[in-house]
């Protein structure tokens, strides 16, 4: 059953991505970190060496689930399978991040104009996270999604969100639910409403 579901996801993704040009590299220079809000810039730091440098194809697994690193016809993307209660990202990209939810529900929090903005998405949702906007994903149930960028991949971790990701991984590893132990009150209110 799992292989059948993955085959369905892959065929849907192939169709979806077939409409997306693999040649979208921009000739313009990447934005500098000065292009982020000053309060965001102060909380950015470099991810560990090698972050984003993965073999394609490959699968990375951890307590949160799986990340399938893929390339079709020169187009680089990931398929993520994330377990309920897990968090991902906690970073900022120099290119727009694009996501498509195949199954499940996710709460995405972004830092915009000095405020945390929380939105919930489900199967069939297409998400655009603008470049230089910090973001974090909280998975309400097992979720399958695709992610890719409209330019070269480069990121910086956003300390307030990345701390949550790291704490959630430790909590999941201990076998405890993450919701009430990791997320700040304002995110919990948004998720529970």
């Amino acid at each position: 059953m799992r292989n059948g579901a993955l085959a369905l996801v892959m065929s849907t993704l192939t169709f979806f991505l077939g409409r997306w040009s693999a040649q979208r590299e921009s000739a313009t220079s990447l934005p500098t970190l000065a292009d982020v809000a000053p309060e965001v810039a102060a909380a950015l730091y470099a991810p560990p060496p090698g972050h984003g440098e993965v073999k394609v194809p490959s699968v990375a697994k951890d307590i949160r689930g799986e990340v399938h690193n893929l390339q079709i016809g020169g187009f680089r993307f990931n398929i993520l399978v994330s377990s309920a209660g897990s968090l991902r990202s906690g970073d900022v990209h120099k290119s727009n991040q694009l996501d498509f939810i195949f199954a499940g529900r996710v709460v995405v929090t972004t830092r915009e104009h000095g405020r945390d903005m929380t939105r919930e998405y489900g199967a069939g949702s297409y998400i655009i996270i603008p470049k230089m906007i910090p973001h974090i994903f909280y998975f309400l149930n097992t979720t399958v999604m695709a992610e890719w960028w409209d330019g070269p991949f480069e990121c910086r971790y956003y300390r307030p969100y990345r701390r949550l990701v790291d704490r959630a991984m430790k909590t999941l590893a201990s076998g405890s639910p993450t919701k009430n132990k990791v997320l700040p009150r304002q995110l919990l209110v948004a998720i529970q409403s």
Side-chain angles (χ1 to χ4, degrees), residues 50-181:
H51 179 81
E53 298 171 16
V54 297
K55 284 186 146 192
V56 177
S58 66
V59 179
K61 296 180 182 183
D62 64 24
I63 195 75
R64 300 171 293 181
E66 304 171 356
V67 177
H68 298 255
N69 303 288
L70 303 166
Q71 184 167 335
I72 296 176
F75 183 79
R76 173 77 176 85
F77 61 98
N78 298 326
I79 300 290
L80 293 84
V81 180
S82 301
S83 61
S86 63
L87 284 90
R88 291 193 186 271
S89 291
D91 56 10
V92 172
H93 302 285
K94 288 190 173 188
S95 301
N96 294 323
Q97 179 171 319
L98 306 149
D99 300 281
F100 185 81
I101 310 301
F102 292 102
R105 296 205 67 73
V106 61
V107 172
V108 180
T109 301
T110 55
R111 185 76 180 171
E112 301 173 40
H113 310 292
R115 296 180 45 209
D116 290 319
M117 305 297 293
T118 302
R119 299 168 183 95
E120 186 174 329
Y121 299 95
S125 296
Y126 176 66
I127 306 166
I128 300 173
I129 299 174
K131 63 185 175 185
M132 309 312 266
I133 296 293
H135 53 278
I136 187 168
F137 293 83
Y138 174 71
F139 298 93
L140 299 175
N141 55 17
T142 300
T143 302
V144 179
M145 65 183 262
E147 71 176 3
W148 66 99
W149 298 266
D150 68 357
F153 177 85
E154 186 176 344
C155 80
R156 300 287 185 276
Y157 285 165
Y158 178 60
R159 189 168 280 107
Y161 290 172
R162 193 62 200 186
R163 276 189 207 141
L164 298 175
V165 172
D166 295 340
R167 283 179 24 205
M169 286 183 66
K170 288 178 186 172
T171 304
L172 281 171
S174 74
S176 300
T178 60
K179 192 182 222 182
N180 294 321
K181 295 185 177 184

Side-chain angles (χ1 to χ4, degrees), residues 3-19 70 72 77 79 100 102 144 146:
N3 286 342
L6 187 57
L8 176 63
V9 167
M10 291 306 298
S11 63
T12 303
L13 179 65
T14 302
F15 173 78
F16 180 76
L17 294 177
R19 299 182 181 277
L70 303 166
I72 296 176
F77 61 98
I79 300 290
F100 185 81
F102 292 102
V144 179

